Amino acid sequence: MRFFFHIAYQGQDYSGWQRQPDVKSVQEVLETTLSKILKVQTTIFGCGRTDAQVHASQYFFHADMEKECDFDLLYRLNKALPTNIAVYDIIKMDGKPHARFDAIHREYDYFIHTYKDPFLSNQSSLYLYPNLDLQKMSEAAKLLLKYKDFRPFCTHPDKNEHTLCQVSSTGIYVNTKGDRIRFNIASNRFLGKMIRIITGKLLKIAVGELSIDEFENHLITLEVPKILNPAYPIGLYLSKVKYPYLDLPPRTDFLSPTQSSDWLLI
């Protein structure tokens, strides 16, 4: 039997989603905990990779089990897992759907604050820029909708089968005080560090260190910039994943502008 697990995690204490030797990953913690509870070695398959220290306010993985549990697996998992990983739903699936390969929509949010706040330090990236030109930032972000090949915004483009992504929406949001910013982007897929590289470029545009024409020229020529300067990992969230057969609302919305009138779309 195949089950999909709907989860969220704070990533600041992990080397990323994927299991790696000699470092702590979200996948390793979940596989170890699930195997102990089920009393059988269990391998899980995630909907995608996230970098070290990157969060996921919505994430799915799948696992195969011989039979349904005769106990409350959801309760036992949440009790055994650390506080920075939560399991919201366990869904029995028909057939053999795949958490990674079947996903048709992925959405990320990148949060920035421009004043030092110890309570935001693990949730949002601090950039002490007093006067960001958010209109130019928004104008540049909208250009991403015009292009399909994102080779210039990938750390190792030649390691990919291709560098095509169907970006379906972008948005720059700001709070009413003007000191917190959110960059939202949705696509069918993303490349390695693509969102952090784009965010770094958008910040350079916002402070006048890069023009919008120079930014678009990367997308036209497909030349990889000599210096990529990705934005910090803290502040980036995988925030929405959709399947043709499964579309659940995120359970963690504490940073979402859709839940608060304090956020405005630029």
Side-chain angles (χ1 to χ4, degrees), residues 2 4 45-48 60 62 93-106 188 241-246:
R2 180 154 294 181
F4 267 43
F45 299 86
C47 63
F60 291 91
H62 77 254
M93 307 298 293
D94 294 327
K96 296 292 184 181
H98 199 286
R100 178 185 173 192
F101 299 132
D102 289 358
I104 58 172
H105 174 99
R106 293 174 173 87
N188 65 324
V241 183
K242 292 182 185 178
Y243 298 89
Y245 44 78
L246 185 63

Side-chain angles (χ1 to χ4, degrees), residues 5-259:
F5 292 71
H6 177 206
I7 72 168
Y9 57 85
Q10 286 191 312
Q12 69 267 18
D13 296 330
Y14 299 97
S15 63
W17 161 262
Q18 188 163 346
R19 180 186 282 268
Q20 302 172 59
D22 304 321
V23 292
K24 185 170 69 170
S25 68
V26 179
Q27 182 182 13
E28 178 189 3
V29 171
L30 280 161
E31 283 183 336
T32 300
T33 305
L34 196 55
S35 297
K36 285 181 180 178
I37 293 172
L38 297 177
K39 295 182 172 57
V40 61
Q41 186 64 40
T42 304
T43 301
I44 65 177
F45 299 86
C47 63
R49 299 180 182 182
T50 55
D51 293 339
Q53 297 185 297
V54 171
H55 310 299
S57 51
Q58 183 172 72
Y59 193 95
F60 291 91
F61 70 83
H62 77 254
D64 292 335
M65 297 186 285
E66 290 188 2
K67 60 182 180 179
E68 292 189 65
C69 298
D70 56 2
F71 54 84
D72 190 340
L73 178 59
L74 183 66
Y75 171 78
R76 290 198 187 180
L77 258 179
N78 278 314
K79 190 173 182 180
L81 286 168
T83 56
N84 52 21
I85 302 176
V87 181
Y88 297 129
D89 303 285
I90 302 174
I91 307 157
K92 184 181 177 182
M93 307 298 293
D94 294 327
K96 296 292 184 181
H98 199 286
R100 178 185 173 192
F101 299 132
D102 289 358
I104 58 172
H105 174 99
R106 293 174 173 87
E107 199 165 327
Y108 280 83
D109 287 286
Y110 192 97
F111 289 91
I112 296 165
H113 57 292
T114 58
Y115 65 99
K116 191 171 183 180
D117 186 333
F119 297 100
L120 291 177
S121 59
N122 287 325
Q123 300 176 2
S124 175
S125 271
L126 173 62
Y127 283 92
L128 292 172
Y129 297 149
N131 297 305
L132 292 171
D133 191 330
L134 299 183
Q135 290 292 343
K136 285 187 177 180
M137 197 174 181
S138 178
E139 186 179 340
K142 290 173 183 175
L143 289 173
L144 300 171
L145 301 170
K146 293 175 53 180
Y147 297 91
K148 303 297 183 185
D149 197 332
F150 290 88
R151 178 182 177 83
F153 302 139
C154 177
T155 47
H156 302 290
D158 293 330
K159 290 185 177 181
N160 294 275
E161 186 176 332
H162 64 84
T163 51
L164 302 178
C165 303
Q166 297 175 4
V167 175
S168 54
S169 67
T170 63
I172 301 292
Y173 296 82
V174 63
N175 68 340
T176 52
K177 294 180 180 178
D179 53 19
R180 294 186 64 192
I181 299 125
R182 169 211 182 214
F183 170 47
N184 174 267
I185 182 169
S187 178
N188 65 324
R189 67 191 290 262
F190 290 95
L191 307 172
K193 292 186 173 60
M194 172 177 161
I195 301 164
R196 290 173 54 198
I197 292 169
I198 290 173
T199 304
K201 296 293 182 185
L202 293 178
L203 284 167
K204 283 186 173 293
I205 290 169
V207 297
E209 295 179 3
L210 183 72
S211 72
I212 294 175
D213 287 343
E214 288 172 319
F215 177 77
E216 186 172 17
N217 192 57
H218 293 314
L219 293 162
I220 294 170
T221 65
L222 300 181
E223 293 181 5
V224 180
K226 292 181 180 179
I227 301 175
L228 292 174
N229 284 333
Y232 305 134
I234 292 289
L236 181 58
Y237 292 71
L238 175 57
S239 52
K240 180 68 179 174
V241 183
K242 292 182 185 178
Y243 298 89
Y245 44 78
L246 185 63
D247 181 8
L248 296 180
R251 290 283 298 276
T252 302
D253 271 331
F254 64 99
L255 285 177
S256 174
T258 61
Q259 302 297 312

